[in-house]
Amino acid sequence: FLKNKAEELDREMGLIITQEQTGRHVRMLTHEIRSTLDRHTILKTTLVELGRTLNLEECALWMPLRRGMNLQLSHTLNNLMPAGSSVPINLPLVNEVFNSAEAIRIPHTCPLARIRPGERYVPPEVVAVRVPLLHLSNFQINAWPDLSAKSYAVMVLILPMDGIRKWRDHELELVVVVADQVFF
């Protein structure tokens, strides 16, 4: 009985330590995001730090195009998605992400999560979260919409393709907090 209780306590302590480390990463990332005004640095830092903190296979940002009819892949962590890809903005899944303040689990077969599989491929777990778009003039990219257009981009986060890891609730909360900090 005592041995089982000790093992249970060890597991709980491991979870607490992991959550504490994740919290430190979020604080560091938030500091980095807020310390620069260069939006491209913010995006790159966000993708790199989320990838490192959550051990992601891929992290990508889909931006709405000027006409508002499509999302275009604008940034990726590991370039596992075809550059220049676009998806219709009116997909039910995209609307679900835009209408939710939470990170949404999406199928690995969704066009937003289409990656080139490696040699060992087990379908990974994928989430998508909306990212507020503000101060778009700072990006100085003509293909991005004015403030009057859709006010969200979509960030897609893909766990490793070994099928072992699953999204945990505290990781989903972290993703939402970070996504809300990317554009302020």
Side-chain angles (χ1 to χ4, degrees):
F1 173 77
L2 289 176
K3 183 179 176 184
N4 287 341
K5 285 294 184 183
E7 289 174 357
E8 184 179 324
L9 184 59
D10 283 345
R11 282 191 300 274
E12 288 177 14
M13 285 301 295
L15 180 60
I16 289 169
I17 289 169
T18 300
Q19 289 175 333
E20 195 173 293
Q21 290 171 340
T22 302
R24 277 194 299 267
H25 283 291
V26 169
R27 286 188 294 280
M28 184 277 307
L29 179 57
T30 301
H31 174 73
E32 284 295 318
I33 289 170
R34 292 181 175 178
S35 69
T36 182
L37 295 177
D38 177 50
R39 302 300 183 200
H40 292 288
T41 302
I42 290 172
L43 286 174
K44 186 68 175 165
T45 301
T46 300
L47 296 182
V48 167
E49 293 301 326
L50 277 173
R52 186 170 58 94
T53 301
L54 298 172
N55 189 31
L56 298 175
E57 186 79 28
E58 183 63 279
C59 186
L61 188 71
W62 293 82
M63 300 292 292
L65 292 174
R66 181 176 296 276
R67 287 184 174 74
M69 302 302 290
N70 291 305
L71 292 173
Q72 184 172 31
L73 182 63
S74 70
H75 292 80
T76 64
L77 176 63
N78 294 319
N79 299 315
L80 296 178
M81 297 179 174
S85 297
S86 68
V87 297
I89 206 163
N90 62 357
L91 289 175
L93 201 54
V94 172
N95 286 324
E96 183 180 347
V97 172
F98 281 166
N99 291 323
S100 175
E102 305 295 323
I104 304 289
R105 285 181 169 88
I106 64 173
H108 72 280
T109 55
C110 172
L112 292 171
R114 193 175 308 132
I115 60 174
R116 296 184 292 263
E119 294 173 13
R120 294 178 25 212
Y121 178 77
V122 175
E125 283 208 355
V126 182
V127 297
V129 63
R130 70 183 187 187
V131 179
L133 291 180
L134 301 173
H135 306 295
L136 289 171
S137 60
N138 292 341
F139 280 102
Q140 298 176 348
I141 294 180
N142 295 332
W144 289 1
D146 297 324
L147 289 175
S148 60
K150 286 281 189 189
S151 59
Y152 297 109
V154 175
M155 186 181 306
V156 175
L157 302 97
I158 303 173
L159 289 179
M161 293 186 285
D162 57 14
I164 295 172
R165 276 207 43 229
K166 307 293 182 206
W167 284 103
R168 293 175 281 189
D169 290 341
H170 74 276
E171 291 174 323
L172 296 175
E173 291 171 12
L174 177 146
V175 167
V176 170
V177 169
V178 170
D180 283 342
Q181 298 295 313
V182 174
F183 300 96
F184 43 90

